């Protein structure tokens, strides 16, 4: 896995103050994407022990609510195994912190992924420029959903439970 940035004290990518890991690699390549520099899975720098410790240093702070995985797409083939493994490590080490993940894929395609057991909130769907709405919470376009993953998993085949409507 490669990444472009680690953002600290972020309030735009999930509930509370968060640390955000911006991974490299996205196959969706949405028109008017706010972060096209992250599309190339070979871009950025390798995710190493120093980056892991930087994130842990942030998660050690009691006022940090959790981590958000964004990018790029954390579910890109170049990222998925290492993201899943890192989420498992975070959940074990910081059980009170939340994990958010942004993906251009949709819930119906990823809900059975083993990573879902670690994710609290999933923002799904490609960014659609024609549906852009700056008034939305935690998403860029109206087609995207902010999903309460754990409640949705309890429902099995039902539509996902939304963390927030807009």
């Amino acid at each position: 896995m490669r990444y472009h940035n680690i953002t600290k004290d972020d309030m735009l990518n999930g509930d509370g103050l968060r640390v955000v890991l911006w991974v490299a690699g996205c196959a969706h390549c949405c028109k008017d994407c706010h972060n096209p520099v992250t599309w190339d899975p070979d871009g950025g720098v390798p995710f190493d022990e120093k980056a892991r410790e930087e994130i842990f240093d942030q998660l050690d702070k009691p006022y940090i609510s959790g981590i958000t995985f964004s990018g790029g797409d954390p579910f890109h083939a170049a990222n998925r195994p290492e993201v899943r493994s890192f989420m498992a490590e975070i959940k074990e080490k910081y059980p009170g912190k939340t994990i958010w993940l942004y993906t251009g894929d949709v819930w119906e395609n990823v809900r059975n992924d083993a990573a879902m057991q670690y994710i609290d909130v999933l923002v799904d769907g490609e960014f659609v420029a024609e549906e852009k709405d700056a008034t939305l919470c935690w998403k860029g376009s109206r087609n995207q959903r902010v999903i309460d993953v754990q409640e949705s998993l309890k429902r099995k085949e039902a539509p996902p439970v939304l963390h927030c409507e807009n």
Side-chain angles (χ1 to χ4, degrees), residues 5-155:
N5 195 21
I6 296 170
T7 306
K8 299 168 184 147
D9 298 333
D10 182 279
M11 296 186 330
L12 301 175
N13 295 284
D15 287 323
L17 284 174
R18 312 186 68 71
V19 58
V20 182
L21 176 62
W22 302 88
V23 300
C26 184
H28 301 284
C29 303
C30 302
K31 176 185 165 197
D32 294 337
C33 170
H34 78 282
N35 212 3
V37 70
T38 64
W39 291 355
D40 181 1
D42 296 319
V45 295
F47 186 76
D48 58 10
E49 191 58 34
K50 183 179 175 193
R52 176 182 260 94
E53 289 305 317
E54 184 177 346
I55 289 171
F56 289 160
D57 286 345
Q58 291 302 302
L59 291 172
D60 282 340
K61 297 175 181 177
Y63 61 85
I64 296 297
S65 300
I67 184 169
T68 299
F69 290 85
S70 193
D73 189 341
F75 276 167
H76 184 279
N79 300 320
R80 196 177 284 220
E82 196 165 347
V83 164
R84 184 182 317 130
S85 174
F86 191 40
M87 285 190 297
E89 185 177 0
I90 290 168
K91 273 298 184 187
E92 182 176 321
K93 189 169 180 159
Y94 303 98
K97 305 285 183 169
T98 59
I99 295 177
W100 283 50
L101 186 138
Y102 282 78
T103 181
D105 212 333
V106 293
W107 168 255
E108 291 76 10
N109 293 340
V110 299
R111 66 189 224 188
N112 293 322
D113 190 284
M116 288 300 144
Q117 66 186 306
Y118 309 115
I119 300 170
D120 297 288
V121 177
L122 178 81
V123 181
D124 81 334
E126 293 184 355
F127 170 76
V128 177
E130 296 76 23
E131 294 192 46
K132 181 179 178 178
D133 184 343
T135 68
L136 300 171
C137 288
W138 303 307
K139 59 185 182 177
S141 57
R142 289 183 296 277
N143 63 297
Q144 295 173 309
R145 298 174 291 184
V146 182
I147 298 169
D148 181 324
V149 172
Q150 298 310 307
E151 286 302 313
S152 297
L153 290 174
K154 292 176 188 174
R155 291 189 172 194

